[in-house]
Each structure stands twice: as structure tokens, then as C-alpha cells.
């Protein structure tokens, strides 16, 4: 039975992947790509990797899809700009992908037995940290430095997006996210969903210490609610020069660094937590990170400033 | 293997990573008004930290190590500065400080305190780039190094299109695509490594790496990805327009430092992770591509009409020399590479090129500011208007050609010696040919700059402190030429722990 389910999943994923590549229209390709992301998140569920599934659905399917759809709306149709790659390039890329795919398959189909893993070591030290979700323990204790630097990558990414603004518009508002055709349904959803969505986002963050969920998933849900409000024209994107906004972007990484440095005085050094207080500190850091992630993702989708700053 | 343990002074490694991040966030949250002050304070503090770490490495004669959060690898993450990392850190901070002095002229904030785009983006990303580079030099975990590469990409790419013209946007987009493709390959390889060994810690992998199919595929994918980021021929197509299109201060950092990070990662995968002995064909292939970079891109450099494009092609050629190291350090030498002439020559080539190339790009920027253009054929009068700058350009050129006394002379002579000792005659011939080509393209510029100005040429004055910042870098590139012609003990510090 489960084999049949798996086979159907595999077929669906392959279809979505091939559809993404073969679609003549950019919009179709993007929609197929979003479907692919959602199907992949189901696979992660099937593999019992709930945290990865949530992230894949939120970021791979949701946020990336939205960015790509907005990009499609701004680009000329494929036929009009004549940017289709030549046959030779297509064949070269195809061959390269086939070679890489074959190599990966050869390695993955003959895994070492037993599979080496750090999972027992992760579990062995979880009591020292005091959280029950191993993923959160890895992300915020054992490998906290990676998590911290990834948040810095997000801030740099936002600066990169903003850098594309014309000089004249620097500090102004990004282009409105309003849908071209105002729809009653969207407005309705944008009025009804945010309270529920914000609650879910907070729940995911709060719950992430002990159960699947966490900053990235929660932050993405919060960002989605903000974007929904902007798309229904119930609120404009904020001015990118607003210092309050900038501080929301920076608060997560800044608090993380501050907590890390405080470890020099209060615990065993950088990014170690004083015994017994690890959980409240980690939850506080996660809340600040989720807030920053929500604001950064929202601003990234909104794009660079497209209007002169208000006087 | 000695197990990791935090050593005295290990906390300074944390500072080296976090200072630039704090500075970047500070500028971001406080606005441009304080940008320059924050950036310069951070640059000075970072330079002090890098020097202190280098002194501590030399004093203790062992690597300076820090375990993040007290967690021991492979569960946790270790930072480690050995002799090589310490040299790279000092090199990075000295170059960034000089660029910081230089950039005051082009990226100062307007007097009315309003925030403008170019200085804001430049200063925040310069600091972001620094944290990325320090992470590459210090991290000991393949996934942390991936995060470092992401930091590097997202700091470097927007600097390319800082001017916002159509051409620079196109160059930045191409750079982004190459860099991201490289990241994907690196990440696939890292995943396979974790699947095969259950660890991503370099020292642990050094102990257990097997010469099997999975390891070869993983390392192959990672090295190909890094080759794209290091702009090794034929994956160099993105570099010339990107490095030539960026503002001079950014070009200097991109060419001197950013392309070196993926090379150092290849070096670490090759000598610290891969099971020895490696197949000779693999080393010969990397060196073959390096040789193609040297010959093809030196000739391309000769044919450029614009100074910045010429310097950018020269970067691809000079990075090609680094890849000659692999077949020169094979067999028993690969067990202790730091004790070989070839490896030392490669590292010195990296360092001396960094100083020389930073000086050249900054000099090109000043020449362009003084003359209003950078057409090589019309540089006449530059030597009269900005003599210090032209002198700095010529001194830096010595290093690229490999003429004494210059750092490039020592490094290329060491590579040449190693090529002759290992009977790799084609590598020796390439090194000599590359030197002659470099001399031709450098003299073409210097000759043109020494020519009489055409009548009625009006030159803009350039502040002396910016010229001196350029000259300092060129002089360091020359001073490296006074190092002894042998493996340096300092570069071997902390590497003995890897048997």
C-alpha cells in the first residue's frame, strides 16, 4: 500500500518537474515549480522530516513562488524578448544535468550500511540544552553559528535587493503589490486570514522549541499575512528608509549576537547558554529572529524602492 | 589527531567574525549618517584583532582554536587559525583598511546627512564581505564554509552593479548565476559527504576519508563548483565584465580577495579532506586549466582597450598560477604540503597577487578619476598628473610579471623550481610565458601613462592620501619579495596536527 503511495508521489513529482522545464510560458513554469515545491514538502512529511516539510512548503512553494510570479508579471512574454537559449546550449545543459544526476543516483543508491549519522550524538546531549525538538537544538545550540550567519545572509540579501533601486528613489516605498484586478475574495481573505495566520505563526515559533516548527516556518507565515494585506491594497509597503523598519530587520541577528557575546561572561563562551536558562533564552532569540525573518521576506518580495521618498 | 580544544586567545576568532557583522548591522539600523565612522572604527578594530591573532599563532607555535558554544566537532563547530589562516586574515584586513581609506573619496555621505544609495550599499556590503572572508579562513566545517560562501556571494554580487548601468546589471546577473551554480554543486557534494561519513568536520574527515566512488563524486562536484566561483578557465566568463564594471574600490576587493576564497577551499579539500594519494591525472587537469587561464587570459588582457578590463583579465591569468600547485605537490610531499616549495609558492602567489591587484585596481580608479576615462591608448599625461599612482601601478606590475624585487618574483620562482624538480616541463614553460605576457601588458599601460599629454588636457587633482593608500599596497607587494626562497615555518604552524 505505502509502496503504491510512494510510486504515485514519484510520478507526480517527475511530472511537475518535467512540466516546469517544458512549459512554454514562464507563468506556467512558475506554477509547476510551486506545485513541485508543495509535492516535495509532502515527501519530507513521508520521510518524517516535519521541520523540513514546513520550511519547503513555506519557502520553496510559497515565498519563492511569489517572487517568481512577480518577476513574470514584469517581464516580457518569452516570444517577445527572444531570449530562448539556443539548441546547443539546451543540449549542453541537458547533458550536464544527466551526468550529475547519474553520479548522484549511483552514490545514493548504494548507501553505506549502517548509515553514519550524528543523530545519536544529537540526542545524547539534548538534556544539556533542555529542549525537546532535536532540529531546534541543532540549529540554536550545536550549530548556532551557522544559523546566526544565515540570518546575516538574509540581511545582506535584502541590501542586495534594495541596491537595485534607482538613486532618486532610494529610501522610498517599493512598488505596490496590489493585484491588477481588484478582487473581492482577496480583500475578504486579507481581512479574515491575518488574525488566524499571525496566531499560527506565533504558535509555530513558540512551539518550535519542543515540537516541529520554528523561526523560519513561523516567520514565513507572518510574512505571508503581511504580504496578503499589501496585495489586497489594505496597506502600502513601508518606506525603506524608515529606521523603525530597519531596526526590526536587525533585531533578530543583533539579539542573537548579543546573547552569544553574553555567553563569554555568563556561560562557557560565545553562543553557549547558562545552564537552566537555555530554553527561555533560545525562545527569546527565536521570537526576535522570526520577527526579523518575517519583515525581511516581506521586504524582499516587495522589492527595491520604486517611488521617491515622501517629503 | 589532536582533539579540538579552545586555546588561549581563541575568543579573538569570534571577534574576527562578529565585528564586521556588528558594524554592518549598525550601519543598517542607524542609517548612513554614521556609516563612515562605524565602518572605519570596525576596519581598525578588525585589523587589530587580525594582528593579535597572527601574533598569538606565532607566539604559541600552534593553531588558535575556539569551540563555538563549547560543543566539540563533529556535533559542534570549531574555528581555527593556523599559520596560513592568520596570514590570510592579516592580508584581508590590511587590504580592506587601504580600500577603506581610498573609498572615503568616492563613497562619503553627503553633507546634509540624507541617505544615498551608493555609500550605504558599499559600506554595509564591504563589512559583510569581510565577515564572509574571515569565516572562510577560519571555519573547519564544510557546511559552515557553505554559509560563508553564501555570505560572500550576496555581499559581492551587488557591489558589481553599484553603478546601476545596464551593462553592470547584466554582468552582476551573470556573476550571480555562476556563483549560485557553484554553490549548488558545493552543497550537493557536502550532502554526499555527510551521507557517507556522518560528519562535515574537516579534521575528522581527514582521518576517515576513503578512496571510493562516493567520495570522488562528492569532492569532484565541490571542486567544480568552486572552480566556477574562482573563475578558472573555461568558467571564467563572468569575471572580466563583473570586476571591470564595479567601482574601483569594489573591484580591488573582488579581484584581490573574493576569488581567493574558493581557491583556498579547493586547497583544503585537496590536501586536508581528500584521501591521499590523489590520482595524478586530477592534479594535472586542474593545472592544465590553470595553464589555459594563464595563456588565454594574458593574451586577452593584451588585447583590451580599457584599463579596468585589462586588469580583470589579468586576474583570471594570475589566479591560474594558483592551480599549478596541485601536480607540483604530489606523492609524499602531499602528506606535509606546507613543507614543499610548490605549496609555499602557491600561497605566496595568492598573497602577493592580492596586494598587487588591489593596488592596480585602485590605481586604475584614480587614473580614471584624474583623466576622466580609462582608455589605455590615451593615458598620456597620467604620470605627470598622478605620479604616485602610476608608480604604484608599475610596482604592482613588477609582482605580476614576476620580476625582482617583488612578491610575485619569489612566488613564481618557487613554482618554477617545483615544476623543474618534479619534471613538469610544460608547467615551467607556462610560468615563463605567462611572465613575458604579463610584462607586455603592464609595460603597454606604463608606457602609455609616461607619454606626453595631448594638448589642452585638463586633469582633476586627486587627494594625496588616496594615492598613498594605493602606494602602500604596492609597496607591500614588493616587500614580499624579500622573503627567503624556502618553505616558511610560519605557514606550517598548526598544520602538524593533521598527520
Amino acid at each position: 500500500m505505502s509502496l503504491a503511495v510512494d510510486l504515485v508521489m514519484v510520478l507526480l513529482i517527475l511530472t511537475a518537474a518535467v512540466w516546469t522545464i517544458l512549459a512554454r510560458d514562464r507563468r506556467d513554469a512558475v506554477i509547476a515549480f510551486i506545485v513541485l515545491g508543495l509535492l516535495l514538502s509532502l515527501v519530507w512529511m513521508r520521510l518524517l522530516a516535519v521541520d523540513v516539510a514546513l520550511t519547503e512548503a513555506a519557502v520553496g512553494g510559497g515565498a519563492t513562488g511569489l517572487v517568481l510570479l512577480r518577476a513574470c508579471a514584469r517581464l516580457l512574454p518569452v516570444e517577445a524578448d527572444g531570449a530562448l537559449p539556443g539548441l546547443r546550449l539546451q543540449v549542453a545543459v541537458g547533458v550536464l544535468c544527466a551526468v550529475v544526476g547519474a553520479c548522484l543516483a549511483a552514490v545514493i543508491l548504494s548507501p553505506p550500511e549502517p548509515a553514519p549519522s550524528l543523530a545519536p550524538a544529537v540526542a545524547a546531549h539534548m538534556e544539556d540544552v533542555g529542549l525537546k525538538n532535536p532540529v531546534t537544538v541543532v540549529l540554536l545550540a550545536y550549530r548556532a553559528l551557522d544559523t546566526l550567519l544565515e540570518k546575516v545572509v538574509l540581511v545582506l540579501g535584502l541590501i542586495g535587493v534594495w541596491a537595485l533601486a534607482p538613486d532618486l528613489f532610494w529610501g522610498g516605498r517599493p512598488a505596490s503589490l496590489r493585484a491588477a484586478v481588484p478582487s473581492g475574495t482577496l480583500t475578504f481573505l486579507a481581512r479574515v486570514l491575518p488574525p488566524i495566520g499571525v496566531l499560527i505563526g506565533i504558535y509555530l515559533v513558540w512551539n518550535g522549541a519542543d515540537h516541529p516548527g520554528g523561526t523560519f516556518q513561523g516567520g514565513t507565515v507572518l510574512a505571508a499575512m503581511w504580504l496578503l494585506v499589501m496585495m489586497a491594497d489594505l496597506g502600502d509597503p513601508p518606506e525603506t528608509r524608515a529606521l523603525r523598519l530597519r531596526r526590526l530587520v536587525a533585531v533578530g541577528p543583533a539579539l542573537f549576537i548579543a546573547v552569544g557575546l553574553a555567553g563569554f561572561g555568563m556561560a562557557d563562551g560565545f553562543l553557549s547558554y547558562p545552564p537552566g536558562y537555555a530554553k527561555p533564552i533560545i525562545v527569546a532569540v527565536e521570537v526576535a529572529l522570526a520577527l526579523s525573518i518575517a519583515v525581511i521576506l516581506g521586504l524582499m518580495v516587495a522589492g527595491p524602492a520604486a517611488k521617491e521618498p515622501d517629503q | 589527531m589532536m582533539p579540538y580544544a579552545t586555546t588561549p586567545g581563541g575568543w579573538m576568532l569570534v571577534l574576527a567574525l562578529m565585528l564586521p557583522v556588528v558594524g554592518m548591522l549598525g550601519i543598517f539600523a542607524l542609517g548612513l549618517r554614521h556609516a563612515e565612522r562605524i565602518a572605519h572604527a570596525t576596519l581598525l578594530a578588525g585589523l587589530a584583532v587580525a594582528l593579535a591573532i597572527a601574533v598569538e599563532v606565532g607566539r604559541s607555535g600552534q593553531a588558535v582554536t575556539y569551540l563555538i558554544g563549547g560543543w566539540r566537532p563533529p556535533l559542534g563547530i570549531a574555528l581555527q587559525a593556523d599559520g596560513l589562516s592568520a596570514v590570510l586574515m592579516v592580508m584581508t584586513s590590511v587590504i580592506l583598511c587601504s580600500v577603506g581609506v581610498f573609498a572615503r573619496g568616492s563613497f562619503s555621505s553627503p553633507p546634509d546627512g540624507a541617505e544615498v544609495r551608493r555609500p550605504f550599499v558599499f559600506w554595509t556590503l564591504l563589512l559583510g564581505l569581510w565577515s564572509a572572508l574571515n569565516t572562510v579562513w577560519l571555519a573547519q566545517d564544510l557546511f559552515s564554509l557553505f554559509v560563508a560562501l553564501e555570505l560572500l556571494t550576496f555581499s559581492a554580487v551587488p557591489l558589481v552593479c553599484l553603478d546601476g548601468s545596464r551593462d553592470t546589471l547584466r554582468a552582476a546577473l551573470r556573476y550571480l548565476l555562476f556563483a549560485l551554480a557553484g554553490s549548488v554543486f558545493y552543497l550537493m557534494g557536502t550532502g554526499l559527504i555527510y551521507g557517507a561519513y556522518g560528519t562535515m568536520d574537516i579534521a575528522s574527515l581527514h582521518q576517515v576519508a576513503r578512496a571510493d566512488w562516493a567520495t570522488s563524486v562528492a569532492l569532484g562536484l565541490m571542486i567544480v563548483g568552486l572552480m566556477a566561483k574562482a573563475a578558472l578557465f573555461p568558467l571564467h566568463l563572468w569575471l572580466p565584465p563583473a570586476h571591470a564594471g564595479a567601482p574601483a574600490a569594489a573591484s580591488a576587493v573582488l579581484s584581490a580577495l573574493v576569488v581567493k576564497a574558493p581557491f583556498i577551499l579547493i586547497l583544503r579539500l585537496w590536501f586536508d579532506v581528500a584521501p591521499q594519494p590523489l590520482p595524478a591525472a586530477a592534479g594535472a587537469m586542474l593545472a592544465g586549466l590553470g595553464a589555459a587561464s594563464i595563456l588565454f587570459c594574458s593574451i586577452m588582457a593584451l588585447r583590451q582597450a580599457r584599463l579596468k578590463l585589462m586588469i580583470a583579465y589579468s586576474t583570471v591569468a594570475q589566479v591560474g598560477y594558483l592551480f599549478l600547485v596541485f601536480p607540483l605537490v604530489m606523492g609524499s610531499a602531499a602528506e606535509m604540503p606546507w613543507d614543499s616549495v610548490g605549496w609555499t609558492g602557491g600561497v605566496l602567489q595568492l598573497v602577493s597577487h592580492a596586494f598587487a591587484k588591489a593596488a592596480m585596481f585602485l590605481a586604475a580608479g584614480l587614473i580614471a578619476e584624474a583623466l576622466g576615462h580609462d582608455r589605455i591608448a590615451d593615458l598620456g599625461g597620467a604620470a605627470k598628473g598622478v605620479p604616485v599612482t602610476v608608480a604604484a601601478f608599475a610596482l604592482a606590475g613588477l609582482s605580476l610579471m614576476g620580476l625582482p624585487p617583488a612578491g610575485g618574483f619569489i612566488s613564481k620562482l618557487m613554482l618554477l623550481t617545483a615544476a623543474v624538480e618534479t619534471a613538469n616541463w610544460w608547467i615551467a614553460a607556462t610560468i615563463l610565458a605567462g611572465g613575458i605576457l604579463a610584462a607586455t601588458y603592464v609595460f603597454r599601460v606604463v608606457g602609455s601613462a609616461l607619454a606626453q599629454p595631448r594638448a589642452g588636457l585638463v586633469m582633476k587633482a586627486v587627494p594625496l592620501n588616496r594615492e598613498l593608500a594605493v602606494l602602500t599596497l604596492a609597496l607591500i607587494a614588493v616587500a614580499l619579495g624579500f622573503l627567503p626562497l624556502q618553505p616558511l615555518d610560519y605557514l606550517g604552524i598548526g598544520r602538524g596536527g593533521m598527520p
Side-chain angles (χ1 to χ4, degrees), chain B residues 258-490:
Chain B
V258 173
V259 285
K260 306 297 166 51
F263 172 76
I264 285 289
L265 279 187
I266 295 180
L267 200 71
R268 299 216 59 192
L269 290 178
W270 188 272
F271 290 111
D272 296 346
V273 175
Q276 301 291 346
L278 282 158
M285 200 188 75
L286 282 177
L289 294 177
S293 287
I294 296 173
L295 298 176
F296 181 75
C297 289
S298 295
I299 292 171
M300 288 302 286
L302 263 177
R303 298 174 44 165
Q304 299 305 313
R306 310 296 293 253
L307 183 54
K308 282 184 81 184
L309 261 177
M310 184 217 94
I311 304 175
Y313 270 106
S314 149
T315 295
V316 185
Q318 295 289 322
V319 168
Y321 281 96
L322 304 177
F323 286 87
L324 300 180
V325 166
F326 300 105
L328 302 183
V329 189
M330 277 282 187
S332 61
E335 297 292 321
M336 298 217 303
W338 59 91
D339 214 17
S340 71
V341 179
W343 189 88
T344 312
V347 170
L348 285 182
Q349 164 68 12
L350 188 154
V351 176
S352 61
H353 173 255
F355 285 105
K357 193 46 65 75
M360 268 195 164
F361 259 124
L362 296 183
L366 285 182
I367 292 174
E369 272 182 43
L371 295 179
H373 69 82
D374 76 337
R375 292 184 301 277
I376 296 175
D378 302 331
L379 290 182
K384 277 218 178 82
V386 279
V388 179
T389 304
V390 173
F393 186 96
L395 286 175
L398 281 183
S399 197
L400 297 197
M401 297 175 228
L403 284 186
F409 166 66
I410 296 289
S411 66
K412 280 160 190 144
L413 194 57
M414 281 194 184
L415 287 172
L416 194 63
T417 312
V420 172
E421 274 175 6
T422 54
N424 280 300
W425 300 107
W426 60 280
I427 292 183
T430 311
I431 294 173
L432 293 173
I436 294 168
L437 287 169
T440 320
Y441 63 69
V442 170
F443 279 129
R444 186 169 151 244
V445 174
V446 176
S448 175
L450 287 171
Q452 285 301 316
R454 64 186 158 72
L457 178 71
V458 184
M459 270 184 286
K460 229 180 90 183
V462 172
L464 186 64
N465 64 348
R466 299 181 72 194
E467 288 202 274
L468 289 180
V470 183
L471 186 65
T472 309
L473 290 172
L475 287 176
I476 294 175
V478 169
L480 288 170
F482 293 96
L483 285 172
L485 259 175
Q486 63 192 37
L488 303 169
D489 290 341
Y490 191 89

Side-chain angles (χ1 to χ4, degrees), chain B residues 4-386:
Chain B
Y4 289 112
T6 296
T7 59
W11 55 274
M12 291 189 294
L13 306 183
V14 172
L15 280 193
L17 254 59
M18 285 302 133
L19 265 176
V21 174
V22 170
M24 187 273 286
L25 290 173
I27 297 177
F28 188 89
L30 298 176
L32 191 63
R33 196 178 302 238
H34 309 281
E36 247 174 300
R37 226 171 310 145
I38 295 177
H40 282 106
T42 313
L43 285 168
L44 276 180
L47 176 66
V49 169
L51 289 172
I53 291 172
V55 168
E56 174 63 24
V57 168
R59 189 194 61 76
S60 65
Q62 57 165 346
V64 173
T65 309
Y66 193 80
L67 301 184
I68 301 288
W71 299 107
R72 196 175 296 284
L75 193 57
I77 296 169
L79 299 176
Q80 193 167 63
D82 54 18
L84 174 61
S85 332
V87 167
L88 294 172
M89 283 183 65
V90 172
M91 168 190 95
T92 308
S93 41
V94 170
I95 291 178
L96 285 179
C97 284
S98 309
V99 168
V101 172
F102 176 93
R104 291 182 80 147
S106 27
F107 294 106
S108 47
S109 32
D112 62 358
E115 189 177 276
V116 282
R117 186 182 64 93
R118 287 169 34 109
F120 177 85
V121 175
F122 178 80
W123 292 113
T124 47
L125 293 187
L126 190 74
L127 295 180
L129 227 146
W130 196 5
S131 64
L133 290 166
N134 276 346
T135 313
V136 174
W137 312 146
L138 296 176
Q140 302 298 317
D141 179 283
L142 295 181
F143 187 78
S144 301
L145 288 166
F146 169 73
V147 179
L149 287 175
E150 293 305 279
L151 278 171
L152 197 65
T153 302
F154 289 107
S155 315
V157 173
L159 286 175
V160 167
C161 55
L162 209 51
D163 282 341
S165 71
R166 194 185 165 86
D167 285 342
T168 59
L169 280 171
R170 195 183 289 268
L173 192 59
R174 197 195 279 191
Y175 178 18
L176 182 70
L177 290 177
F178 269 87
L180 287 185
S183 294
V184 169
F185 276 78
Y186 180 89
L187 191 60
M188 283 194 287
T190 309
L192 292 182
I193 295 258
Y194 180 76
Y197 299 104
T199 176
M200 292 178 290
D201 172 56
I202 288 180
S204 315
L205 287 169
H206 187 75
Q207 301 289 303
V208 296
R210 305 174 292 261
D212 59 10
W213 170 239
T215 313
S216 312
V217 170
L219 291 174
L221 287 171
M222 294 167 93
I223 289 178
V224 168
L226 293 166
M227 274 161 51
K229 287 174 181 281
L232 183 66
F233 181 90
L235 300 174
H236 68 285
L237 293 171
W238 60 268
L239 188 143
H243 286 195
S251 309
V253 177
L254 295 174
S255 253
L257 302 172
V258 173
V259 285
K260 306 297 166 51
F263 172 76
I264 285 289
L265 279 187
I266 295 180
L267 200 71
R268 299 216 59 192
L269 290 178
W270 188 272
F271 290 111
D272 296 346
V273 175
Q276 301 291 346
L278 282 158
M285 200 188 75
L286 282 177
L289 294 177
S293 287
I294 296 173
L295 298 176
F296 181 75
C297 289
S298 295
I299 292 171
M300 288 302 286
L302 263 177
R303 298 174 44 165
Q304 299 305 313
R306 310 296 293 253
L307 183 54
K308 282 184 81 184
L309 261 177
M310 184 217 94
I311 304 175
Y313 270 106
S314 149
T315 295
V316 185
Q318 295 289 322
V319 168
Y321 281 96
L322 304 177
F323 286 87
L324 300 180
V325 166
F326 300 105
L328 302 183
V329 189
M330 277 282 187
S332 61
E335 297 292 321
M336 298 217 303
W338 59 91
D339 214 17
S340 71
V341 179
W343 189 88
T344 312
V347 170
L348 285 182
Q349 164 68 12
L350 188 154
V351 176
S352 61
H353 173 255
F355 285 105
K357 193 46 65 75
M360 268 195 164
F361 259 124
L362 296 183
L366 285 182
I367 292 174
E369 272 182 43
L371 295 179
H373 69 82
D374 76 337
R375 292 184 301 277
I376 296 175
D378 302 331
L379 290 182
K384 277 218 178 82
V386 279

Side-chain angles (χ1 to χ4, degrees), chain A residues 104 106 116 118 125 142-143 146 148-150 153 156 160 163-165 167 170 243 246-247 249 257 264 269-272, chain B residues 11 14 18 21 28-29 66 69 74-77 115 117 120 141 143-144 147 151 155 158 169 188 194-196 198 213:
Chain A
L104 288 180
L118 287 176
H125 294 281
Y142 306 148
R143 302 190 68 96
D146 287 352
L148 170 56
L149 291 177
E150 278 160 14
V153 173
L156 292 172
L164 296 169
D167 282 327
W170 181 259
L243 287 184
R246 300 264 183 96
R247 283 166 196 165
V249 167
I257 294 174
F264 277 125
F270 188 62
L271 284 174
S272 68
Chain B
W11 55 274
V14 172
M18 285 302 133
V21 174
F28 188 89
Y66 193 80
L75 193 57
I77 296 169
E115 189 177 276
R117 186 182 64 93
F120 177 85
D141 179 283
F143 187 78
S144 301
V147 179
L151 278 171
S155 315
L169 280 171
M188 283 194 287
Y194 180 76
W213 170 239

Side-chain angles (χ1 to χ4, degrees), chain A residues 2 10 12 34 75 88 97 123 127 151 166 183 186 198 207 234 260 263 271 305:
Chain A
S2 71
V10 167
L12 283 174
I34 295 172
L75 290 169
R88 208 179 296 170
C97 290
E127 294 215 341
K151 301 307 171 280
S183 114
L186 189 63
V198 168
N207 210 25
L234 297 174
L271 284 174

